[in-house]
Amino acid sequence: MSCSQYQGWCECEAKQMAKLQGRWVDEPKEAFLVGNYFHTHFESPEAHAQFCQEHFQEIYKTRTVKDKTTGLETIIPTGKRAAYEQADKMIDVAERDPLIRSLLDLPGENEMIMTGELFGVPWRIRVDKYVPDGRLIIDYKTVANINELKWSNELREKVTFIDAYGYMMRAAVYSEIEKQFSGSTTDPHFIIIAISKQDYPDKDVLELNHRQRYDYELEQIKERIQQIQRVKDGALKP
C-alpha cells in the first residue's frame, strides 16, 4: 500500500482495481508533469536530465530542420513551453529563499524509500528528502495557490490545500513508517516546502506535526484498510 494508492481506493475501488490490473491508465496531466519536473530538479541533475529527455515533446517547443544534402530531419528545441518556463521561475524562487535554501542544503537522501506495516498491511513510502540528523521528512509541493481555499466534500467546508489533497494523512503515514524505520518512539518533523504556480510564485514552509490529527487520520485508515485489502486480494468485488 502507498498513500496515493490508498487515496485511489477511497475515491473509487473499481477504478483503482482497474489501475492495478492495467485496464486503466491515467493520462499524465500537465500539472503532474510540472510537479515531477520541479521534484527531479532537486533530486539530482541526472534525474532531471532523464525526465526532460523522457518528456521532451511536452517540455520543449521545437522546429524541424532538414539537411539539404542527406534529406535527414533534425528536431531542434527553440525554448520551453510556458508551464515549464513557469516551473523554472518556481525553482528559482525556492533556491533564492534563505529558509528553503537551508533545508535544501541539509545533508540527507533524496527520494528515499522506506517500508513498514500499518494495521496488518505492508506500506511503502517514498520521501522527497530525508534528513537523518534531526529526523526531518521534507516534501516538495507545487500548488496553484497556497492560500486558496477549496471545497471538501468529505469535511463539507472549504479547506486549505493541505486538507484538500490529503497531506495530513500522508504526514501521519510517513511519520509512522519512519518511526519503524528509525526505531524511534517520537514523531519525526514533517515539513512541506510549498511553491505556487502564480505569475510570481509564492512560497511557504509548513510543519504539519499534530499528534491528535495524526491519530484521527490513522483511525480512518484502520477503519477502511481491511475492506480495501479484501477487495485488492479479490475476496470482495470492488
Side-chain angles (χ1 to χ4, degrees):
M1 190 63 62
S2 69
C3 290
S4 297
Q5 188 188 133
Y6 172 76
Q7 287 176 307
W9 286 114
C10 292
E11 178 189 330
C12 178
E13 291 177 351
K15 180 179 178 180
Q16 185 59 39
M17 179 62 83
K19 282 184 177 182
L20 293 181
Q21 294 174 343
R23 295 183 289 108
W24 180 292
V25 179
D26 283 326
E27 289 294 323
K29 296 179 181 178
E30 185 177 72
F32 176 77
L33 292 176
V34 168
N36 280 341
Y37 178 92
F38 184 91
H39 272 71
T40 56
H41 173 86
F42 295 110
E43 180 182 348
S44 70
E46 294 77 17
H48 191 62
Q50 181 180 345
F51 179 84
C52 291
Q53 184 62 40
E54 290 175 354
H55 298 279
F56 185 87
Q57 295 291 343
E58 292 95 337
I59 295 171
Y60 294 100
K61 301 173 185 175
T62 61
R63 64 185 177 90
T64 302
V65 177
K66 188 172 185 178
D67 189 296
K68 294 180 180 179
T69 305
T70 64
L72 295 175
E73 293 184 341
T74 305
I75 297 175
I76 306 293
T78 60
K80 292 179 182 176
R81 299 186 188 277
Y84 297 93
E85 287 185 347
Q86 183 64 17
D88 285 335
K89 291 180 184 177
M90 295 161 66
I91 289 167
D92 183 59
V93 164
E95 292 186 328
R96 286 192 292 107
D97 181 87
L99 175 57
I100 295 175
R101 183 74 261 174
S102 70
L103 292 170
L104 295 173
D105 288 341
L106 286 172
E109 185 169 341
N110 294 320
E111 300 299 317
M112 184 171 183
I113 293 173
M114 299 180 190
T115 57
E117 185 176 293
L118 289 177
F119 311 115
V121 174
W123 285 69
R124 176 181 182 272
I125 65 172
R126 183 190 292 270
V127 179
D128 290 346
K129 182 171 185 176
Y130 180 64
V131 181
D133 186 13
R135 294 176 55 223
L136 267 66
I137 293 173
I138 300 174
D139 215 26
Y140 309 132
K141 296 299 177 195
T142 57
V143 297
N145 185 326
I146 292 172
N147 298 305
E148 181 183 10
L149 298 179
K150 295 179 177 292
W151 178 258
S152 167
N153 287 327
E154 183 177 355
L155 299 174
R156 305 299 298 174
E157 63 180 355
K158 286 190 173 183
V159 298
T160 68
F161 80 92
I162 296 293
D163 282 321
Y165 298 118
Y167 293 147
M168 288 305 299
M169 178 275 293
R170 189 175 294 265
V173 170
Y174 277 37
S175 295
E176 291 303 307
I177 300 301
E178 189 279 340
K179 285 193 288 188
Q180 294 176 28
F181 173 83
S182 65
S184 302
T185 56
T186 57
D187 291 327
H189 297 281
F190 188 97
I191 295 171
I192 280 183
I193 295 175
I195 308 290
S196 80
K197 299 175 183 177
Q198 293 159 295
D199 288 340
Y200 186 82
D202 195 5
K203 74 230 175 190
D204 211 343
V205 175
L206 308 163
E207 184 167 5
L208 301 194
N209 289 64
H210 192 295
R211 189 61 247 176
Q212 289 79 11
R213 181 62 186 274
Y214 284 4
D215 289 341
Y216 169 80
E217 295 294 342
L218 293 170
E219 189 64 30
Q220 296 298 304
I221 293 173
K222 183 179 179 181
E223 289 180 4
R224 296 167 175 169
I225 197 68
Q226 297 307 321
Q227 158 87 6
I228 288 171
Q229 195 61 41
R230 285 195 292 271
V231 175
K232 187 175 180 180
D233 291 340
L236 292 174
K237 288 185 178 182

